[in-house]
Amino acid sequence: MLDIVMMHVRLWIKSRFLEGEGKDIDVGHELSRVMMKGMVEAMFRYRMSDEEIETFILLHQKAWKFRKTSFAMVFRSAAPGYNDARMAGKQIRKLVRRFIEEYRSRPLYVCNPTVIDYLMKDTNYCSDDDRINDFVTITGASYDTTAYTIVWAMIDLCHHPFEQDKLRKALHFAKPHERSNIPELRNTIRESSRLHPVGGTGSFRTMAHDFFFEDFVVPKGQLVMASLFNLQRNKQVFENPLTFIPSRWNSMKEESKSSSIPFSSEGEAARALLSRKQL
C-alpha cells in the first residue's frame, strides 16, 4: 500500500518542484488531493479521476462543516444546513459505491489482499450499504489528516533550521529501508503533531456509563469532548509546551508515549484514525 501512495507523492514532487515553473503553490491543497488519489488506489484498488477527487472533497467539506457545529450535533434536523449536508452525504455514498462496483467487475483472485478485499469478504456486514459507511469513513479520515500532518511538520522545520538540518543528515546517513523509523523523523512528526493536532478540536464520545471523578459526575449518554490542543500543550506535562523541541521525545519512556502522556493527535482506542499507530 505504501508503495502506491509514495509513487503518487514522488510524481507530484517531480512535476511541481523538480520540473515545475517555480511558482508558489498551496502545498496543503495539492498534497491532500495527491493523498486521496494514492490512498484510494492503495486501499480500494480504484483510480479516482481528478473530477471525482474534487467532488468528494467538496461534498465532504460541506457535510463536515455542518457536523462539527455544536448546534448541529445536538439538534441535527433543526440546524441550518441540515438538508444540504444530508444531500452531500448521499452523493458521497453514491460516489464511493463505484469502488464496490469496480471491485466486483474484476477477477476474484487476488495475490496481495488490501483493505477492500477484507471489507468485501467480511460476512458481518448485512449489506453493501453497511460497507459503504466504512468506505466513506476510511476515505474521509485519511486524505487531509495525512496531508496536513506533513504540511505542519514542514512548516515547523522551516521555522527551525537547526532541527531541519539535523533531520536531513539523519535521513542522508540512514539506509533507505530504515528511514521511516529513525528517531529524528518520528520525533519530528510527534512534536509537530503535538503542537498542531489534525483533530485539534478534540474527539467527541458519548459516555457508555456514569463516570465519577472527584466531585464531578459525567452521566451515561452525555456527549463529551477532549480538547487535544489544551491537553498536548499542558505545561505540567511538557516543559516549554509552546516550543518545537523534537528531542523531548527521546527522554520519554516508550510506555509513556501511548499512555500517561496526553498525546492523541488522531484519537484513541477503536475509533482512532488508521495512521495513529504510526505515531
Side-chain angles (χ1 to χ4, degrees):
M1 288 177 55
L2 181 60
D3 291 341
I4 295 176
V5 176
M6 288 307 301
M7 177 192 70
H8 286 284
V9 172
R10 291 190 183 100
L11 288 174
W12 173 68
I13 291 175
K14 181 180 179 181
S15 64
R16 300 296 281 142
F17 294 94
L18 303 181
E19 299 176 354
E21 299 177 357
K23 297 181 179 179
D24 293 340
I25 67 172
D26 185 334
V27 177
H29 176 89
E30 294 195 15
L31 187 56
S32 61
R33 283 145 178 81
V34 174
M35 285 297 170
M36 173 168 284
K37 182 184 285 290
M39 288 184 168
V40 168
E41 183 177 340
M43 294 187 295
F44 305 131
R45 303 182 187 280
Y46 184 87
R47 294 187 177 183
M48 296 184 78
S49 66
D50 291 342
E51 181 181 358
E52 287 176 324
I53 291 173
E54 292 300 328
T55 298
F56 185 99
I57 292 177
L58 177 63
L59 294 173
H60 184 245
Q61 290 175 342
K62 183 181 293 186
W64 183 250
K65 182 179 180 180
F66 168 81
R67 183 182 179 279
K68 71 179 181 179
T69 63
S70 57
F71 186 84
M73 295 192 72
V74 176
F75 297 101
R76 295 186 65 80
S77 61
Y82 171 77
N83 289 329
D84 288 343
R86 186 166 176 267
M87 184 59 65
K90 287 184 176 181
Q91 291 176 290
I92 288 176
R93 291 173 61 83
K94 184 178 179 180
L95 193 160
V96 170
R97 187 177 289 274
R98 298 175 189 174
F99 302 171
I100 294 177
E101 293 172 350
E102 179 155 326
Y103 177 83
R104 288 200 170 120
S105 69
R106 301 197 207 96
L108 294 178
Y109 176 75
V110 177
C111 58
N112 295 309
T114 184
V115 175
I116 192 170
D117 299 298
Y118 294 110
L119 292 179
M120 295 302 295
K121 294 176 183 178
D122 191 336
T123 57
N124 291 314
Y125 289 107
C126 297
S127 66
D128 282 347
D129 286 336
D130 289 339
R131 287 188 176 88
I132 288 175
N133 290 335
D134 284 342
F135 277 61
V136 172
T137 299
I138 293 171
T139 305
S142 61
Y143 73 98
D144 58 345
T145 53
T146 304
Y148 283 98
T149 294
I150 295 172
V151 169
W152 272 117
M154 292 170 65
I155 292 173
D156 285 327
L157 289 171
C158 286
H159 288 165
H160 299 84
F162 173 76
E163 298 293 348
Q164 181 184 152
D165 187 56
K166 184 164 66 173
L167 175 58
R168 182 187 293 112
K169 289 179 179 178
L171 289 169
H172 176 74
F173 289 107
K175 296 179 181 179
H177 67 278
E178 296 176 344
R179 287 173 181 166
S180 61
N181 290 315
I182 61 173
E184 292 83 359
L185 178 60
R186 296 180 73 83
N187 290 348
T188 295
I189 295 174
R190 274 185 165 274
E191 183 67 353
S192 182
S193 296
R194 180 187 69 81
L195 287 168
H196 317 289
V198 289
T201 54
S203 298
F204 291 87
R205 298 289 186 270
T206 301
M207 298 300 296
H209 51 76
D210 292 345
F211 179 78
F212 300 90
F213 178 73
E214 297 181 352
D215 296 331
F216 296 94
V217 179
V218 183
K220 176 181 178 180
Q222 178 66 52
L223 185 67
V224 297
M225 182 194 78
S227 175
L228 302 184
F229 233 87
N230 292 328
L231 284 173
Q232 295 174 182
R233 298 182 179 214
N234 186 349
K235 62 182 180 181
Q236 295 179 347
V237 179
F238 298 101
E239 186 178 355
N240 298 320
L242 302 183
T243 305
F244 180 73
I245 311 175
S247 60
R248 75 168 78 242
W249 294 97
N250 288 327
S251 61
M252 294 180 178
K253 295 181 180 180
E254 285 299 320
E255 58 267 25
S256 297
K257 292 181 180 179
S258 60
S259 56
S260 60
I261 300 302
F263 178 78
S264 181
S265 64
E266 298 183 329
E268 285 287 355
R271 293 182 179 272
L273 296 189
L274 295 177
S275 57
R276 174 71 178 89
K277 64 180 180 180
Q278 301 300 327
L279 299 177

